[in-house]
Amino acid sequence: MSEFERISEHIYVMHAERETDRPLLAAVAGSSRTLLIDGGNSSAHAAAFREYLEQEGVRKPDVMVLTHHHWDHSFGVAEWSLPAIAQRQTADILRGFAGLEWNEETLSRLIAEGVVSEQTRNDMRAEYGSNLGLIRVEEPNIVFERFIDVHLGDLTCEIRYVGGDHAADSCVVYVKEEGTLFLGDALAPSVYGGPMKYTTGKFLALLDTVFAYGADVLVESHGRPVSREDFYNDVRRYELLARQVLRHGSDREAVLRDLRADLGMAAEEALPEDLTEAAGYFMNGLVK
Ligand SMILES: [Zn+2]
């Protein structure tokens, strides 16, 4: 079930949907321009958000930005007919995707190459049914390397390349006047080309970058927008985990023991499942 929300005076979102791997889409409406954040995973996804924006009387998006190249963020781009901003690596990968004929055979090959995963096939089936021929990939046409600012009249959106484990081309978008930081999937583990993993160096560097914004609201593409306090309380646990992995390496028992102590838990208390799972990702990240 699609869910839409105006999360602040200038920001409208279509929330993430798990069944079809649809990420959150956002429109930042300034006094003279509207920026769209991510294109959606299909034309249907893009059209649903566009209809909501029209209903709300929001100024039509003038330009869009992609947080990274993954299909669920980029396969709806063509539907918008908009100038699309992307980091150079994002643009390079999507240029390659745009030249492919999308069908089961292509998908199987990309899975074998570790470009996408078996999960992608399931999610694409949920979104497209059996008709992968509906996929149209468009190459972004405004390419940047490190930073680019987009001025929307009374609002400024600072787009910054951050990289990380999830996708080497990840970017974040900071809506300065609203204190809202869109993280894309930057803080998620890697999902393609082998077991899911986190590397301590990349993860901790990314957290430093994110914390430095001092944002009031943080938005992850597959989660709900959260306050600074809730975000820090949640992410702090992962930070402690990463530091214990730095300290103990692949000694999983020691990592989990000291993490329990860090969190003020008793030795016999079970850690939350998301943390033991993440510990596994960090262990995978130690394997060269
Ligand atoms: Zn992603």
Side-chain angles (χ1 to χ4, degrees), residues 64 66 69 78 82 92 104 117 119 179 189 225 247:
M64 68 193 295
L66 296 179
H69 74 277
L82 284 178
D92 288 347
E104 286 294 336
S117 68
Q119 183 61 43
R247 188 166 158 208

Coordinates of all heavy atoms in Angstrom, one line a residue, residues 64 66 69 78 82 92 104 117 119 179 189 225 247:
M64 N 16.3 16.2 -11.2 CA 16.3 15.1 -10.2 C 17.8 14.8 -9.9 O 18.7 15.1 -10.6 CB 15.6 13.9 -10.7 CG 16.2 13.2 -11.9 SD 15.1 12.1 -12.6 CE 14.9 10.9 -11.3
L66 N 20.1 11.4 -8.3 CA 20.1 9.9 -7.9 C 21.1 9.8 -6.8 O 22.3 10.2 -6.9 CB 20.6 9.1 -9.1 CG 19.6 9.1 -10.3 CD1 20.1 8.2 -11.5 CD2 18.2 8.7 -9.9
H69 N 23.4 4.2 -8.1 CA 22.8 3.6 -9.4 C 21.8 2.5 -9.2 O 21.2 2.1 -10.2 CB 24.0 3.1 -10.2 CG 24.6 1.8 -9.7 ND1 25.5 1.8 -8.7 CD2 24.4 0.5 -10.0 CE1 25.8 0.5 -8.4 NE2 25.2 -0.3 -9.2
A78 N 13.4 7.4 -16.5 CA 12.9 7.8 -17.8 C 11.4 8.4 -17.8 O 11.1 9.3 -18.5 CB 12.9 6.6 -18.8
L82 N 13.2 14.4 -17.1 CA 13.8 15.5 -16.4 C 15.4 15.4 -16.5 O 15.9 14.4 -16.7 CB 13.6 15.4 -14.9 CG 12.2 15.8 -14.3 CD1 12.2 15.6 -12.8 CD2 11.9 17.3 -14.6
D92 N 28.1 6.4 -15.3 CA 28.8 5.4 -16.1 C 28.1 4.1 -16.1 O 27.9 3.4 -17.1 CB 30.3 5.2 -15.6 CG 31.2 6.3 -15.9 OD1 30.8 7.2 -16.7 OD2 32.3 6.4 -15.3
E104 N 15.0 -11.9 -19.1 CA 15.5 -12.9 -18.1 C 17.0 -13.3 -18.3 O 17.7 -13.5 -17.4 CB 14.6 -14.2 -18.2 CG 13.2 -14.0 -17.6 CD 13.2 -13.7 -16.1 OE1 14.2 -14.1 -15.4 OE2 12.3 -13.1 -15.6
S117 N 21.6 -9.2 -7.6 CA 21.5 -10.5 -6.8 C 20.2 -11.2 -7.1 O 19.3 -10.7 -7.8 CB 21.5 -10.2 -5.3 OG 20.3 -9.5 -4.9
Q119 N 18.0 -11.8 -5.1 CA 16.9 -11.0 -4.4 C 16.4 -10.0 -5.4 O 15.2 -9.7 -5.5 CB 17.5 -10.3 -3.2 CG 16.5 -9.5 -2.4 CD 15.3 -10.4 -1.9 OE1 15.5 -11.5 -1.4 NE2 14.1 -9.9 -2.0
G179 N 17.4 21.3 7.5 CA 18.1 20.5 8.4 C 17.8 19.0 8.1 O 17.9 18.2 9.1
P189 N 24.8 -2.3 4.3 CA 26.0 -3.1 3.9 C 26.0 -3.3 2.4 O 25.0 -3.0 1.7 CB 25.7 -4.4 4.6 CG 24.2 -4.5 4.9 CD 23.8 -3.0 5.0
P225 N 11.7 8.4 8.0 CA 12.5 9.6 8.4 C 12.5 9.6 10.0 O 11.5 9.2 10.6 CB 11.6 10.8 8.0 CG 10.8 10.2 6.8 CD 10.6 8.8 7.2
R247 N 39.0 -3.6 17.2 CA 39.8 -4.1 18.3 C 40.1 -5.6 18.3 O 41.2 -6.0 18.5 CB 39.0 -3.7 19.6 CG 39.8 -3.9 20.9 CD 39.0 -3.1 21.9 NE 39.3 -3.6 23.2 CZ 38.4 -3.6 24.3 NH1 37.2 -3.1 24.1 NH2 38.8 -4.0 25.4

